[in-house]
Amino acid sequence: MDASKWKRPRRRALIAWLLIGLPLLALGIAALASNARLFILTLMNGLTLAALYFLVASGFTLIFGLMRNVNLAHGSLFLLGGYIGYSVGDLTGSWFAALVAGFVSVALTGLLLQVFVFRYMDGQELRQTLVTIGLSIVLADLYMWIWGGDTYQFDPPEWTQFPVPMPVINAYPAFRLLVLLVAVVIGVALWLFLNRTRIGAMIRAGVDDKRMLSASGVNVQRVFAVTFALGAGLAGAAGVIGGTALSIAPGEDVRYLLASLIVVIVGGMGSITGAVIGALLIGVAETMGMAYAPTYGVVFTFIIMVVVLALRPQGIMGKKA
């Protein structure tokens, strides 16, 4: 193998890191010097938003990035988990009951989608795209009919309703730090699940060669159904967590779908590590942009995506097809 061909992708990855990292580092140092409290508070908010984006995008990584199912109704699953969780939490008074309800209900919905929709459109990306766009429109109208156009917000568990002392900014809400911790735990668990377990090996093998895996005696459709349900359930749980840290309202499905797409594209298809990197870049850039350049804040995330795609079309941690 020609050494120059092996080094070229590594060189492009390094250039991508430098083009994105150096400007962010320079801007961060300047902002820290001018107003340290605002910078650290904005950075913490950016990390919290990145954690929330990762929780949504982790399920999208399993469904779209790994299984290659183009599910553009993923944002609707996020919103469904939030709405069902709110209804259950309001009825029971338990935040954990709301979280479990959001995960289980959306996991079952995802299972039905995989069995009755995606199973009959395997490998047909255009049909999957059109069908799931239609589903998201129908679901948005159903949500409006059932829950109205109000904005809902969960009350966090009582044991998280206290400020955590921190330097410079004095204190930060405990629940937001809990969101960061949950994102880290789920990220590590997913990586171990996909890379260190027999089921994870079957999922990756099924994506590469379904016929060979099926010939070895594995029920490929069952493996894919469970994976799809897990990805959808993560979106539903993220709906409850997002409704607690921020809020849920009509239109949030589009926002989180777009964020998940960008995170997966920037990080790399099917890579949990890439989803972490993509979520960090997008979440921090979005928050910093809104704090320091609100007029152009949204543009920063697309600049990151353009730079990555120009130098690494497969994403930062993605592999060439």
Side-chain angles (χ1 to χ4, degrees):
M1 180 179 179
D2 188 357
S4 62
K5 292 182 178 180
W6 180 76
K7 291 180 179 179
R8 195 175 298 124
R10 295 171 62 89
R11 191 181 303 119
R12 288 186 176 181
L14 179 60
I15 293 173
W17 275 110
L18 291 176
L19 287 178
I20 295 173
L22 289 180
L24 290 177
L25 180 62
L27 291 173
I29 293 173
L32 184 61
S34 63
N35 190 333
R37 186 178 189 279
L38 175 62
F39 174 77
I40 294 177
L41 183 60
T42 306
L43 178 62
M44 293 300 299
N45 290 337
L47 292 175
T48 304
L49 183 62
L52 183 56
Y53 281 167
F54 171 74
L55 291 174
V56 184
S58 60
F60 198 64
T61 298
L62 292 176
I63 295 171
F64 175 54
L66 188 62
M67 296 173 57
R68 300 298 191 267
N69 286 157
V70 186
N71 179 25
L72 295 188
H74 192 75
S76 300
L77 297 179
F78 166 86
L79 202 55
L80 177 62
Y83 279 137
I84 291 179
Y86 181 84
S87 298
V88 171
D90 187 54
L91 183 65
T92 63
S94 170
W95 186 86
F96 288 102
L99 183 65
V100 172
F103 178 85
V104 172
S105 61
V106 179
L108 291 175
T109 303
L111 181 63
L112 294 176
L113 279 176
Q114 203 283 328
V115 172
F116 293 106
V117 178
F118 286 95
R119 184 170 295 183
Y120 298 97
M121 298 185 296
D122 189 26
Q124 303 177 46
E125 288 82 5
L126 181 58
R127 286 185 65 190
Q128 292 174 358
T129 301
L130 295 176
V131 168
T132 51
I133 287 175
L135 279 173
S136 65
I137 294 172
V138 172
L139 289 173
D141 287 338
L142 287 175
Y143 299 162
M144 185 73 74
W145 174 48
I146 298 172
W147 286 283
D150 297 331
T151 299
Y152 297 96
Q153 187 170 21
F154 297 80
D155 291 326
E158 292 185 2
W159 56 273
T160 65
Q161 296 182 21
F162 66 92
V164 177
M166 295 188 69
V168 183
I169 61 174
N170 298 327
Y172 197 74
F175 181 79
R176 287 178 172 260
L177 295 176
L178 179 63
V179 173
L180 284 174
L181 178 61
V182 169
V184 171
V185 171
I186 289 179
V188 172
L190 281 177
W191 188 89
L192 292 174
F193 171 71
L194 291 175
N195 294 280
R196 294 291 186 269
T197 66
R198 184 171 178 269
I199 298 177
M202 287 192 296
I203 293 171
R204 290 182 282 112
V207 172
D208 294 334
D209 194 333
K210 294 179 184 177
R211 291 183 179 180
M212 183 62 70
L213 184 63
S214 180
S216 66
V218 176
N219 189 328
V220 177
Q221 295 298 342
R222 182 181 299 171
V223 171
F224 275 25
V226 171
T227 306
F228 200 105
L230 176 61
L234 287 172
V240 176
I241 295 173
T244 309
L246 300 172
S247 63
I248 53 171
E252 292 294 286
D253 51 343
V254 178
R255 173 190 174 185
Y256 284 96
L257 171 63
L258 182 60
S260 298
L261 276 170
I262 297 175
V263 166
V264 171
I265 290 171
V266 170
M269 299 278 282
S271 172
I272 297 298
T273 306
V276 173
I277 295 172
L280 283 172
L281 288 173
I282 301 307
V284 174
E286 182 179 325
T287 307
M288 289 291 180
M290 295 302 293
Y292 292 99
T295 305
Y296 308 101
V298 181
V299 178
F300 294 156
T301 58
F302 290 98
I303 291 176
I304 292 173
M305 185 173 67
V306 168
V307 171
V308 170
L309 289 178
L311 297 169
R312 295 269 299 175
Q314 70 271 33
I316 292 175
M317 300 297 293
K319 298 179 180 179
K320 287 187 176 182

